[in-house]
Amino acid sequence: MKANTLLFEIAWEVCNQIGGIFTFIKSKVPTMTDTYGDNYFLIGPYIPEKAKLDFRPIRDLDNTPLSNAIQHIKMLGFEIHYGYWLLEEAHPKVILINPVINMEALHAAKATLWQHHEISALESNALLDQVIGFGEVTRLLLTKLIEEIDINQDVIAHYHEWMSATSLPELSWRQARLATVFTTHATLLGRYLASNEPDYFSKISTFDWTQKAREYGIETQAKIERNVAKHANVLVTNSALTATECETFLGRRPDSIVHSGIHRKPGVGHEVFEKHLQNREKIDAFIKALFSPSYQLKSDKTLYFFTSGRYEFRNKGFDITLQAIARLNEVLVRRQSDIRVVLFIITKKPFYNIKPDVLEARQRFQELQKICKKISAKLGPRMYANVTGSAGHKLPDLNQLIDDELQMTWRQALANFKRKGLPPVTTHHLLEQDDITMFCDQAGLNNKEEDRVKVIYHPDFIERAISLFSMDYLEFVRGCHLGVFPSLYEPWGNAAMETVLHGTPVVTSDISGFGRFASETADMDGNHQIKTIKRREQSSEDAVIQLTEIFTQFVEEFEDQSYIPRATLPKPFLDTLCWSELQQRYHENYRLALLRSQPVAGLY
Ligand code: 1S3
């Protein structure tokens, strides 16, 4: 690869978290900026409320070919932003494109889709229109850039998932001078079929993709995905399972399988435990604020479980997690256990706002904490004076030491803090009921005092700047006791991987790429911090039974020892999960794509 090769990584989840592809890109970016420096760029959709949080625009465009191409797009009347993506570990350059384009341009792009690729998008929907709009502007941008640069400079466009990639086939059709790599992190039909077709996994290679796409009403989307895979110079996926899907649904065997990774190896031993304690305290504070106005939960008797990821109720195993947690509640109530379990569900669903009583409870709790600090600041010196003064070592009357004003403020704060009713299950006002809220309603999981299991449904991803927990996602993960990811469809499974790498034990499944990877790695045999639920050849009901048993054993272990060990993983296992190593695999794919994109070497 030449030193001046420009590399664009294009994904719908750049500056736009929806699921695991966001985590994938985010974890990879620091290694990419270290390796490719100023020649590395990302392209994603412009979603104003998300860009507000972590995008900083570059106001004055310089005279580089890329700036000229961006100016050109603006002059054509499209909305495009150029700046930095403000991630914690790196600030890569990013181009954000408003995917909602004018009708005339959209219709022209759809006409091209039909004329050049025989894909009809007439009966489209809002999201599909945005996907096509985004693709059209990306195509115009890359085309202009190629015109502007030196003929000897190479360009690589690395697309992730079909939603970012409608420009790829068209650039190929027009023989644009660039190399393309397409990484599919899942397949569309896989996402639909896995949770709807009995025995999906043993039958993958027998499905007729056209018939199934029609049956599920996703013909256009499936054709676009298939067309992207066909035209990419190199096709990559993240697991053996998705590779099989590529052959059946996309009609092409992937050139390589590169799984997901982490940026940096986690700390060891005591460090991991220290971080767990610090972060758990923050979760304790959130839970106290939410529950104490109704009743008390004892921090040293409470376990925090969580699940997180894209909102795919069955694929991500939210369904069996909820069923198993409801059964765990029955077991613990029957045993009159003094242990409490809080299950957090962290995902993304449309909502109006955070519930005012959640915000209020948090604010009042903070007030209470401030008053306590004030009281102890006054009380300390007074007690000290009392002990060292004439009264000697007699126990002072504490009421005498607190003045009336403090007593009043304290009483007032306490009175304000009380709430009639139960702690809310959902932290936000959702636009509509969903499967999670309906399940909790039906199962009576509504945070009653007598219940041993409590549920907190947080329908937004955790970001430090706007976090109810006053922490970022990975701190939250470290503070929990168990991550629950018993997915039914999970090509890789970043959430489970990140969780266990940050020291929190996990439950994963034999469907998940990561779950299989861990169980196939010799050193991981017998590692009790990664439990695997059978989903491949076991009914959902049996999976619920297995998960309930795991939950129950976990609680029993805590009851016996008042302690849950943190997960520690062997070094060779960690090495294979680091981007510094995995990036080499992509580098090879880039070289292959460049080779294949040369006119003479075009046949493959
Ligand atoms: C996908 O994200 P998802 O949560 O929709 O890509 C991830 C990164 O490759 C992968 O870990 C996950 O299994 C897929 O499902």
Side-chain angles (χ1 to χ4, degrees):
M1 238 166 99
K2 295 176 199 154
N4 65 350
T5 302
L6 298 178
L7 173 59
F8 290 85
E9 219 159 346
I10 308 163
W12 195 257
E13 294 197 36
V14 164
C15 282
N16 178 30
Q17 184 170 12
I18 301 171
I21 299 162
F22 174 90
T23 327
F24 167 92
I25 304 265
K26 191 174 146 183
S27 65
K28 179 170 182 274
V29 158
T31 312
M32 298 303 283
T33 47
D34 283 354
T35 316
Y36 301 101
D38 277 348
N39 295 335
Y40 177 69
F41 306 88
L42 293 132
I43 304 182
Y46 178 66
I47 317 276
E49 63 277 15
K50 298 204 178 167
K52 213 163 50 192
L53 291 175
D54 50 15
F55 171 75
R56 192 178 74 223
I58 296 173
R59 300 266 172 228
D60 300 315
L61 290 185
D62 48 18
N63 199 18
T64 59
L66 181 62
S67 300
N68 295 345
I70 291 171
Q71 286 292 12
H72 170 75
I73 296 299
K74 286 187 178 168
M75 268 153 47
L76 292 177
F78 298 107
E79 186 180 356
I80 186 164
H81 301 262
Y82 182 39
Y84 296 101
W85 187 6
L86 305 180
L87 296 170
E88 228 153 86
E89 313 258 11
H91 293 171
K93 280 180 270 176
V94 66
I95 298 155
L96 297 180
I97 292 169
N98 184 346
V100 182
I101 62 172
N102 63 67
M103 274 303 161
E104 198 186 334
L106 182 65
H107 287 154
K110 286 185 176 182
T112 311
L113 197 58
W114 172 246
Q115 285 155 8
H116 297 172
H117 308 281
E118 292 179 23
I119 298 176
S120 162
L122 284 180
E123 282 177 40
S124 58
N125 56 44
L127 183 61
L128 190 55
D129 285 355
Q130 290 189 23
V131 164
I132 295 172
F134 177 79
E136 179 59 1
V137 182
T138 308
R139 180 187 73 76
L140 291 166
L141 176 77
L142 292 175
T143 306
K144 183 66 184 167
L145 173 77
I146 294 162
E147 272 170 37
E148 293 275 324
I149 56 173
D150 187 278
I151 186 82
N152 290 315
Q153 188 168 17
D154 291 327
V155 176
I156 300 171
H158 181 180
Y159 294 87
H160 295 272
E161 208 78 344
W162 72 278
M163 290 170 79
S164 73
T166 52
S167 60
L168 191 158
E170 187 53 20
L171 285 163
S172 156
W173 193 91
R174 292 174 189 244
Q175 300 186 334
R177 202 178 54 75
L178 88 170
T180 55
V181 176
F182 175 44
T183 297
T184 186
H185 294 261
T187 63
L188 246 177
L189 279 162
R191 288 189 195 273
Y192 277 81
L193 269 54
S195 56
N196 287 305
E197 300 280 337
D199 302 326
Y200 170 73
F201 295 100
S202 55
K203 291 197 326 213
I204 295 181
S205 40
T206 66
F207 289 111
D208 173 344
W209 76 272
T210 2
Q211 184 203 331
K212 287 293 164 195
R214 212 170 294 138
E215 213 175 295
Y216 287 92
I218 49 165
E219 231 180 324
T220 308
Q221 292 89 328
K223 281 186 180 166
I224 290 178
E225 188 180 37
R226 200 176 159 90
N227 199 34
V228 173
K230 176 178 157 197
H231 285 278
N233 292 125
V234 171
L235 174 65
V236 182
T237 194
N238 53 3
S239 68
L241 167 71
T242 334
T244 314
E245 289 180 1
C246 287
E247 288 193 68
T248 312
F249 303 140
L250 308 187
R252 180 171 172 188
R253 196 187 173 79
D255 297 287
S256 75
I257 298 177
V258 187
H259 60 69
S260 213
I262 45 159
H263 167 50
R264 198 194 296 261
K265 281 181 211 153
V268 285
H270 71 280
E271 221 181 301
V272 174
F273 191 66
E274 277 302 311
K275 285 199 169 142
H276 164 64
L277 291 181
Q278 285 162 11
N279 292 308
R280 199 173 76 198
E281 261 179 36
K282 292 189 190 165
I283 304 179
D284 284 342
F286 171 81
I287 286 297
K288 280 208 174 92
L290 205 63
F291 281 77
S292 306
S294 304
Y295 55 88
Q296 301 295 328
L297 284 186
K298 290 186 192 144
S299 308
D300 58 342
K301 295 277 181 198
T302 305
L303 284 169
Y304 299 131
F305 292 5
F306 81 100
T307 187
S308 68
R310 182 187 295 269
Y311 189 97
E312 283 180 2
F313 188 67
R314 295 195 62 204
N315 281 346
K316 295 294 178 196
F318 293 167
D319 57 344
I320 70 162
T321 300
L322 282 165
Q323 288 173 50
I325 211 79
R327 292 188 195 180
L328 175 72
N329 186 43
E330 285 165 16
V331 173
L332 299 181
V333 168
R334 206 167 40 240
R335 291 184 186 172
Q336 299 192 331
S337 169
D338 63 349
I339 301 294
R340 302 292 181 268
V341 173
V342 179
L343 170 73
F344 294 95
I345 304 170
I346 313 290
T347 183
K348 182 85 190 168
K349 283 290 273 178
F351 58 81
Y352 294 108
N353 51 11
I354 300 178
K355 288 184 176 167
D357 57 333
V358 172
L359 288 174
E360 222 171 83
R362 201 173 69 140
Q363 195 196 335
R364 297 215 162 128
F365 183 69
Q366 284 163 354
E367 272 164 28
L368 216 57
Q369 279 180 317
K370 269 192 216 148
I371 295 169
C372 288
K373 271 196 196 135
K374 223 166 156 187
I375 293 179
S376 42
K378 288 211 172 169
L379 210 53
R382 286 179 194 175
M383 280 186 77
Y384 180 74
N386 194 288
V387 171
T388 53
S390 56
H393 290 108
K394 265 193 233 148
L395 189 66
D397 177 356
L398 294 179
N399 280 332
Q400 296 292 317
L401 298 183
I402 309 174
D403 56 32
D404 290 350
E405 192 199 329
L406 269 184
Q407 284 201 31
M408 276 294 290
T409 332
W410 171 246
R411 281 200 198 108
Q412 186 63 47
L414 263 185
N416 284 345
F417 196 52
K418 290 267 174 274
R419 164 205 303 129
K420 278 201 194 114
L422 300 173
V425 168
T426 312
T427 49
H428 297 52
H429 275 302
L430 291 168
L431 253 48
E432 55 186 17
Q433 282 264 66
D434 62 23
D435 287 326
I436 296 179
T437 54
M438 282 191 294
F439 180 90
C440 291
D441 283 352
Q442 280 161 15
L445 281 177
N446 55 358
N447 294 341
K448 290 186 286 297
E449 185 167 3
E450 61 274 25
D451 280 341
R452 274 25 180 199
V453 171
K454 322 286 170 185
V455 179
I456 303 293
Y457 175 23
H458 186 277
D460 196 9
F461 291 120
I462 299 178
E463 295 218 33
R464 186 194 299 280
I466 49 166
S467 166
L468 271 178
F469 300 93
S470 310
M471 63 208 307
D472 71 22
Y473 174 71
L474 287 177
E475 289 172 336
F476 170 80
V477 166
R478 287 192 180 112
C480 285
H481 297 90
L482 181 69
V484 189
F485 307 99
S487 303
L488 179 57
Y489 182 71
E490 194 69 270
W492 177 250
N494 270 32
M497 175 182 71
E498 266 186 346
T499 302
V500 76
L501 290 175
H502 285 90
T504 305
V506 288
V507 180
T508 173
S509 79
D510 60 354
I511 296 300
S512 135
F514 173 73
R516 286 171 72 89
F517 175 82
S519 59
E520 282 162 11
T521 304
D523 276 356
M524 293 302 295
D525 253 6
N527 185 314
H528 299 300
Q529 305 310 321
I530 304 182
K531 305 254 192 240
T532 310
I533 297 287
K534 289 190 189 147
R535 303 230 54 191
R536 202 169 275 265
E537 283 155 9
Q538 182 170 251
S539 68
S540 287
E541 172 53 25
D542 288 341
V544 173
I545 294 173
Q546 195 192 351
L547 188 54
T548 313
E549 275 166 13
I550 291 178
F551 285 166
T552 313
Q553 275 168 15
F554 197 86
V555 172
E556 283 166 356
E557 204 174 308
F558 183 67
E559 268 171 334
D560 290 349
Q561 299 168 18
S562 309
Y563 170 73
I564 295 291
R566 305 306 287 164
T568 44
L569 302 177
K571 186 175 174 305
F573 182 82
L574 287 177
D575 285 345
T576 51
L577 290 173
C578 271
W579 272 120
S580 45
E581 273 204 17
L582 289 169
Q583 172 46 29
Q584 290 304 323
R585 308 275 315 280
Y586 267 120
H587 199 76
E588 285 156 22
N589 287 316
Y590 294 155
R591 283 172 43 185
L592 182 62
L594 282 167
L595 197 71
R596 286 180 173 173
S597 67
Q598 304 301 319
V600 275
L603 288 179
Y604 56 91

